[in-house]
Amino acid sequence: DGGITQSPKYLFRKEGQNVTLSCEQNLNHDAMYWYRQDPGQGLRLIYYSQIVNDFQKGDIAEGYSVSREKKESFPLTVTSAQKNPTAFYLCASNDRAFSGANVLTFGAGSRLTVL
Amino acid sequence: RKEVEQDPGPFNVPEGATVAFNCTYSNSASQSFFWYRQDCRKEPKLLMSVYSSGNEDGRFTAQLNRASQYISLLIRDSKLSDSATYLCVVNIRYNAGNMLTFGGGTRLMVKP
């Protein structure tokens, strides 16, 4: 079945450590996104990529980095510069970036807790 | 002012009740609209798109009011399984392209 796989599902990190969240899709989608969700709040866009080897900052990119070396993969690194990284991270994809005709498919999410 | 606003709730309703949520958006250039459902600690999933003429899918009805800049979701004959958070999503056109913006969600709890 086609879909998006995120790993790990749960991750604990000590302050000052970088962590990388994996996102893989087999939907042949061009566009991929990373969102952050805090309790009781909506999703905020961290980074997005419309095509391989290209990515753009979203609303809250500070303290995060991404790469898009393959169409299927869009890993997110949460760096030590991110002041409040504890959150639920969601990866999503669709055929064309921000196309009104294409809805987002989400992965199951990665829950990061900083100890 | 947030670009997409929703009443966070929770809306506590008995089974069988009819419940409606509204979502307001501030950017008149908004082009397309969606309702997503998110269960606790899960990812959002598309519930339905919202069309200009309004649309219905079983017990769910979505409507768009462009003049007043809001969309609504009506759930009839509520089931226990409808308990979830409902996210309003608006596709807004900016100079650089389109951007999907999420509301904060409205939490629904259906009680026996």
Side-chain angles (χ1 to χ4, degrees):
Chain A
D1 287 337
I4 299 179
T5 301
Q6 288 188 241
S7 63
K9 191 168 183 179
Y10 300 97
L11 183 62
F12 297 89
R13 184 193 99 172
K14 292 181 180 178
E15 282 192 30
Q17 287 181 333
N18 292 356
V19 293
T20 297
L21 308 180
S22 169
C23 178
E24 303 279 332
Q25 55 102 355
N26 60 4
L27 300 165
N28 199 33
H29 284 168
D30 287 322
M32 297 185 74
Y33 312 79
W34 273 105
Y35 290 91
R36 168 183 173 140
Q37 188 176 34
D38 293 283
Q41 298 193 32
L43 279 65
R44 292 184 290 167
L45 183 64
I46 304 172
Y47 267 99
Y48 66 97
S49 168
Q50 300 182 60
I51 198 168
V52 175
N53 292 322
D54 179 72
F55 49 83
Q56 306 295 329
K57 292 182 180 180
D59 300 321
I60 54 165
E62 186 175 351
Y64 300 98
S65 66
V66 293
S67 62
R68 187 86 186 276
E69 297 177 0
K70 299 186 299 181
K71 186 175 185 178
E72 304 80 19
S73 180
F74 191 40
L76 173 74
T77 297
V78 184
T79 75
S80 56
Q82 169 49 235
K83 299 303 179 189
N84 185 21
T86 294
F88 188 41
Y89 290 88
L90 287 157
C91 180
S93 71
N94 64 4
D95 274 343
R96 291 175 292 157
F98 303 121
S99 166
N102 284 288
V103 299
L104 293 173
T105 300
F106 284 91
S110 292
R111 196 166 296 274
L112 172 63
T113 302
V114 174
L115 303 173
Chain B
R1 181 186 173 188
K2 291 182 180 177
E3 294 207 70
V4 180
E5 289 202 75
Q6 296 181 250
D7 180 342
F11 284 58
N12 293 298
V13 303
E15 269 187 293
T18 294
V19 61
F21 312 134
N22 279 343
C23 166
T24 58
Y25 59 94
S26 60
N27 192 319
S28 60
S30 301
Q31 295 187 303
S32 50
F33 310 87
F34 309 90
W35 283 103
Y36 278 73
R37 170 192 169 128
Q38 185 174 25
D39 292 300
C40 188
R41 303 178 76 85
K42 300 285 189 181
E43 75 274 22
K45 293 184 179 178
L46 179 69
L47 178 65
M48 57 197 304
S49 301
V50 185
Y51 302 123
S52 296
S53 55
N55 48 299
E56 188 174 304
D57 183 2
R59 298 182 293 109
F60 298 84
T61 300
Q63 293 195 314
L64 167 64
N65 186 319
R66 284 193 185 271
S68 300
Q69 295 185 196
Y70 76 84
I71 66 173
S72 64
L73 177 68
L74 180 79
I75 305 175
R76 291 181 298 277
D77 188 22
S78 300
K79 310 292 184 192
L80 295 176
S81 57
D82 293 334
S83 297
T85 296
Y86 291 84
L87 299 170
C88 168
V89 183
V90 176
N91 187 32
I92 300 173
R93 171 172 280 182
Y94 295 98
N95 289 338
N98 296 333
M99 180 72 68
L100 284 169
T101 301
F102 286 77
T106 297
R107 189 172 172 203
L108 171 66
M109 298 180 69
V110 181
K111 302 294 179 73

